[in-house]
Amino acid sequence: MSSTTTAAARTAADVTGAHTDEAASLIADARTRIDSLDDRIIGLVQERMAVSSVIQEARMTSGGRRVNLSREIEILGQYRDALGKPGTTLAMTLLELCRGRV
């Protein structure tokens, strides 16, 4: 395929890596669903960040610390129990995002 070939000229099999049109169609449809799920997940993470910010502000205003480590340990356990070891990594990333700027 030349460098001047556009994405529109590529076949569904080229785009998806599938070897049949049927599989390419299934993959394309599933990717569309994944894109939609990713958009929702990003929106939920942003919402979680905003709620976490409210909690942190209330905690600090009342004289507490910005981060509640015992709560974070609960969250890590919840994600680990639901998703296995990778869930812990995901939870750590979410917690980092939700801690806000120092």
Side-chain angles (χ1 to χ4, degrees):
M1 213 178 281
S2 74
S3 60
T4 59
T5 304
T6 64
R10 296 171 64 198
T11 67
D14 292 334
V15 174
T16 64
H19 294 284
T20 66
D21 289 339
E22 182 181 350
S25 177
L26 180 96
I27 291 168
D29 290 346
R31 284 183 177 171
T32 298
R33 182 151 185 237
I34 284 176
D35 290 345
S36 175
L37 290 167
D38 285 341
D39 288 343
R40 289 171 44 201
I41 290 167
I42 290 167
L44 289 169
V45 170
Q46 290 170 330
E47 183 178 351
R48 189 187 196 288
M49 291 168 64
V51 171
S52 183
S53 178
V54 168
I55 292 168
Q56 290 173 44
E57 182 65 30
R59 189 181 300 118
M60 290 187 312
T61 300
S62 72
R65 299 177 62 184
R66 184 171 59 89
V67 176
N68 182 332
L69 295 178
S70 63
R71 173 65 177 151
E72 289 194 356
I73 290 169
E74 288 177 33
I75 292 165
L76 290 169
Q78 179 182 358
Y79 276 75
R80 182 192 60 244
D81 292 347
L83 303 171
K85 186 177 178 184
T88 304
T89 303
L90 176 60
M92 286 298 297
T93 300
L94 282 171
L95 291 170
E96 183 178 345
L97 283 167
C98 292
R99 285 184 192 127
R101 291 181 169 58
V102 177

